[in-house]
Amino acid sequence: MSNSKTLASGENKKPTFSMMINSDGYKKMINNTLGDPNRCKRFVASITSAVANTPALQDCQSSSILAGALLGESLNLSPSPQLGQFYLVPFNDKKAGVKKAQFILGYKGYLQLVMRSGQVKKINAVEIKEGELIKFDPLNEEIECRLIEDWNEREATETIGYYAFFELTNGFRKAIYWSKEQMMSHADKYSMAFSRQAYINIQEGKIPEMDMWKYSSFWYKNFDDMAKKTMLRQLISKGGCPMSTEMMTAYEKDNSFNEVDDNGDVITVPENNVEVTTDPAQLTQPEATDIVESVNLDDI
């Protein structure tokens, strides 16, 4: 009787992602999509490792993980969190009653894709620290700074703003500067996962440690990286930065939910078909909050 119960329990257990990605169906789909056997092996190894190192992803629909990973692979970007090119972030789909992985492009992914156009000579987005900014001329888009030379001292100094620019090979140049106040207002307006007041409370130590799981958005976890990504998106969409086919795809698919259809093609799920709640520690913990986040391409 005991063995029978154990067997039944094992039969009902949800297959792990590593089991699914090594199944005949998934292998065939990956081979048909990527073609090269060596590329397929590398892809399977990299995404299996990424999922194994992210406990919350292991509860997501395998098809959404695979679709997001294939999207990243089609852009020739790495899923490694250490490289920060793109992330697969767990969310609860309240309508479907399942967890899904969302494709989120990192600011380093934007840099990679922009540089591939061959028309960009330079591009960068950086934090400006307290005491560094002398002036920024918005008419001529020229900035004057005196950067802190000591790296450790600079890292410990408070960020007051963000500067981003690109220069094309033909000499055309575009630059923008936003104060941190501007960036917080932007995030507060466009990201349902971010509250300006909550961010201030966290910085002032007013949020108890036991409640920090509620504030899991990347805006809370790494405000500067999200801010730099926002600056790059502003430059790309409004500054005339050349957009390759890869860059346009990445821009449109950023913050999207994707699935693999019966033909093995990656399709994007319309926003109004998904109602999501943020995961409380998106890249580390498997639990989920009840904070509803609307998926909006302009929120970052």
Side-chain angles (χ1 to χ4, degrees):
M1 180 67 71
S2 175
N3 289 340
S4 175
K5 287 184 177 180
T6 301
L7 179 61
S9 175
E11 290 175 346
N12 293 328
K13 187 176 180 181
K14 178 183 175 181
T16 63
F17 178 75
S18 60
M19 292 170 60
M20 292 296 294
I21 200 170
N22 285 295
S23 66
D24 291 339
Y26 272 35
K27 280 183 177 180
K28 183 178 180 180
M29 185 184 300
I30 293 169
N31 288 333
N32 289 341
T33 303
L34 302 182
D36 178 36
N38 291 327
R39 186 182 180 188
C40 292
K41 289 180 181 178
R42 180 185 57 77
F43 170 78
V44 170
S46 64
I47 193 58
T48 300
S49 175
V51 173
N53 290 322
T54 309
L57 276 178
Q58 298 173 35
D59 295 328
C60 291
Q61 277 189 329
S62 296
S63 60
S64 70
I65 299 174
L66 179 60
L70 284 172
L71 176 57
E73 180 68 17
S74 71
L75 299 171
N76 291 311
L77 297 175
S78 170
S80 170
Q82 288 75 24
L83 294 179
Q85 295 180 353
F86 79 91
Y87 304 95
L88 295 176
V89 181
F91 283 89
N92 279 341
D93 181 347
K94 297 181 73 176
K95 286 187 177 180
V98 296
K99 284 188 178 182
K100 292 184 178 180
Q102 184 181 29
F103 176 87
I104 295 181
L105 193 64
Y107 87 91
K108 293 179 182 177
Y110 272 106
L111 290 175
Q112 283 279 328
L113 292 171
V114 169
M115 291 301 294
R116 290 178 195 169
S117 72
Q119 300 178 57
V120 179
K121 182 179 179 181
K122 298 178 184 177
I123 184 168
N124 203 4
V126 297
E127 306 96 326
I128 301 299
K129 300 293 185 173
E130 186 173 18
E132 291 186 330
L133 180 66
I134 297 174
K135 71 174 181 178
F136 177 73
D137 177 359
L139 292 178
N140 296 301
E141 298 180 346
E142 295 177 349
I143 193 170
E144 186 177 351
C145 289
R146 185 179 294 110
L147 298 183
I148 298 171
E149 295 183 1
D150 183 272
W151 186 87
N152 290 323
E153 180 185 349
R154 191 171 195 275
E155 283 292 295
T157 302
E158 182 180 353
T159 297
I160 63 162
Y162 305 92
Y163 173 73
F165 79 97
F166 70 81
E167 181 181 344
L168 302 185
T169 53
N170 64 9
F172 177 75
R173 193 175 188 278
K174 187 73 178 175
I176 55 175
Y177 172 81
W178 283 13
S179 69
K180 189 168 184 178
E181 288 295 316
Q182 284 177 273
M183 188 61 69
M184 285 201 293
S185 295
H186 177 87
D188 191 55
K189 179 177 180 179
Y190 290 106
S191 177
M192 296 299 292
F194 178 82
S195 162
R196 178 194 183 97
Q197 188 56 54
Y199 179 81
I200 293 173
N201 289 342
I202 290 172
Q203 300 307 304
E204 294 178 352
K206 295 180 179 179
I207 304 295
E209 188 64 32
M210 63 182 294
D211 290 334
M212 282 301 296
W213 61 272
K214 299 177 182 178
Y215 307 98
S216 60
S217 166
F218 279 119
W219 280 108
Y220 297 120
K221 294 161 72 70
N222 197 331
F223 189 95
D224 284 352
D225 275 5
M226 291 297 286
K228 287 185 285 187
K229 176 180 172 179
T230 297
M231 298 294 278
L232 291 173
R233 283 183 65 89
Q234 293 292 316
L235 276 178
I236 291 167
S237 63
K238 302 174 183 178
C241 186
M243 293 180 69
S244 64
T245 301
E246 277 186 337
M247 186 69 254
M248 286 188 286
T249 299
Y251 189 91
E252 293 170 357
K253 300 288 188 181
D254 190 14
N255 272 32
S256 66
F257 291 90
N258 304 281
E259 295 178 357
V260 181
D261 65 16
D262 294 336
N263 297 320
D265 297 321
V266 176
I267 58 174
T268 298
V269 181
E271 285 182 24
N272 57 6
N273 286 352
V274 181
E275 183 181 0
V276 298
T277 60
T278 59
D279 191 282
Q282 297 173 349
L283 297 177
T284 56
Q285 299 295 329
E287 300 301 325
T289 75
D290 293 324
I291 303 173
V292 176
E293 177 177 14
S294 120
V295 182
N296 186 335
L297 286 180
D298 292 327
D299 69 359
I300 50 176

